[in-house]
Amino acid sequence: MDLGAIATPQSLWLVFLLFLIVVYLVTLSSRADKLYSKLPSPPFKLPLIGHLHLVGSLPHVALRDLARKHGPDVMLIRLGVVPTLVVSSPRAAKAVLRTYDHLFASRPHSPVGDILFSGSTNIAFAPYGDYWRQLRKIVTTHLLSARKVRANRAAREMELRLVLDRVKAATAASSAVDVSEVFSYFANDVICQAVLGRLPREAGRNKMFRELLEINSKLLGGFILTDFFPSLARLDLVSRKAVNQKKTWDDLLDDLIDKHASKMVTVEDEQDFIDVLLSVRQEYGLTNHNIKAILMDMFEAGTDTTYVSLDYAMAELMRNPRVMTKLQAEVRSCVTKGKEMVTEEDLASMSYLKAVMKEAMRLHPSGALLIPHLSVAECDVEGYTIPSGTRLMVNAWALGRDPTCWENAEEFMPERFMEGAMDAACDFQGNDFRFLPFGSGRRICPGITFAAVTFEIILANLIYHFDWELPEGSPGVDMTEEYGIDVHRKVKLLLVPRVAHDL
Ligand code: HEM
């Protein structure tokens, strides 16, 4: 081969340019490493796995304990090859989610998320930028707006009647009800109604979505190895399972989109999410892949989070009979005697119910570490320079239980959120950095209104119609936690309902 022919001035320039890029990248990474080395960090970092071995089966608890010792505000841990900033104090949370929200609003790359959500084209995993902004706009203005949530009311009431019938049947037989399952099915069925309105139960779809979500949770839940060792993604069994799972989602959603497209509903308040997305697809330039990714997000982000919050609330009510009695008294006094069920108008006057919801989410935020964020530029947090490209975890669970921020932090005391109390002004909107069950800033959950009404309406009705007891011989409510796609109670909540007679 004639090398002289290859070594043209252009190719020499190209080699020189490549050399400069390599030098630039090496300098950049060594600068980042220098900055990381200045951050407080736990000892016992191992080659390759970093601090992964310290994270254990309940990462939110382990990270809180590590932070107390090694970095109460900010701490750097290495998860495999990924440097991760852990934020555990309200001040540091404010810095990353408000002061530098624009710099921390991206998401780290998730190989499994890429497969399931067509290259992370869903809202929750999309990197910060124009595409994500468009999706957020679609979701907040067309799918999850207060008006759209109100328009879904009849569907929620229909699902609620089915739940009440099921529980009433159990009272007749004096048998225990799996309340965890009741909440889980209700959360799923309410989303099904919102997404596919006129077709939810046809062909057992509710059940199919439930099963698909269960598999999704296994694929996306916990600390996923390929997130921390991206080079394993090609060899990884989970990724291969994700490919099959994606095909099942695609078949189901493609069929639903086709069915909707062949018979479009144009009356705004009657449109389900698929109708809405089809009606705005041209305006926003959405492909079928984009539509499917958004729909999957609604299921993924809206189902288990709601169910887990309800399950914890009911578990806490059973452990705290004083609170249960007080809540029951409020709910029963706000509803006209003899009414078939608590309706959404009744909820407005139930301030203790709202306080119970907040208190349940303070102690048990289902997204204990939020969804990981990613920084897109260098910035200073708590006196440390954080390099661009740093993964961020905010320990919302630790913030909610910080004894320096909350009176009797470990106690279930909804009164703290009632008018006149110290924390009465606390809301879900991410303005109080001790209390972030829905996150804060640009990436705050867009489903708060949807979640709150779903939570309140079923809890109010279950408390209104029934008195609840633990099954005979039960040792009490087991609060053992499990970490997955969210933090949930490990053991199903079995309770015996009795019809309340004084209504
Ligand atoms: C009690 C129920 C819920 C809780 C506790 C909850 C909590 C959260 C949290 C902690 C985040 C991440 C915030 C961050 O990254 O900083 C999030 C994001 C999100 N949630 Fe929720 N959520 C709930 C219900 C819902 C519902 C019902 C929907 C929709 C139907 C929904 C849709 C989303 C979406 C799309 C995102 C991603 C936002 C983005 O990345 O821009 N959530 N949620």
Side-chain angles (χ1 to χ4, degrees), residues 97 105 107 122-126 132 136 139 144 191 273 294 297-310 361 364-373 394 396 436-452 454-455:
L97 297 176
R107 298 287 194 207
N122 59 329
I123 307 142
F125 288 169
W132 168 82
R136 243 345 254 211
V139 165
L144 300 172
I191 295 278
F273 288 0
I294 299 173
D297 236 8
M298 297 297 100
F299 280 104
E300 190 63 61
T303 305
D304 277 3
T305 44
T306 308
Y307 137 63
V308 166
S309 308
L310 278 161
M361 292 190 195
H364 310 286
S366 56
L369 299 171
L370 307 185
I371 300 174
H373 290 223
V394 177
L436 300 174
F438 292 98
S440 177
R442 286 168 169 74
R443 287 284 186 167
I444 194 172
C445 174
I448 299 177
T449 312
F450 192 108
T454 309
F455 181 110

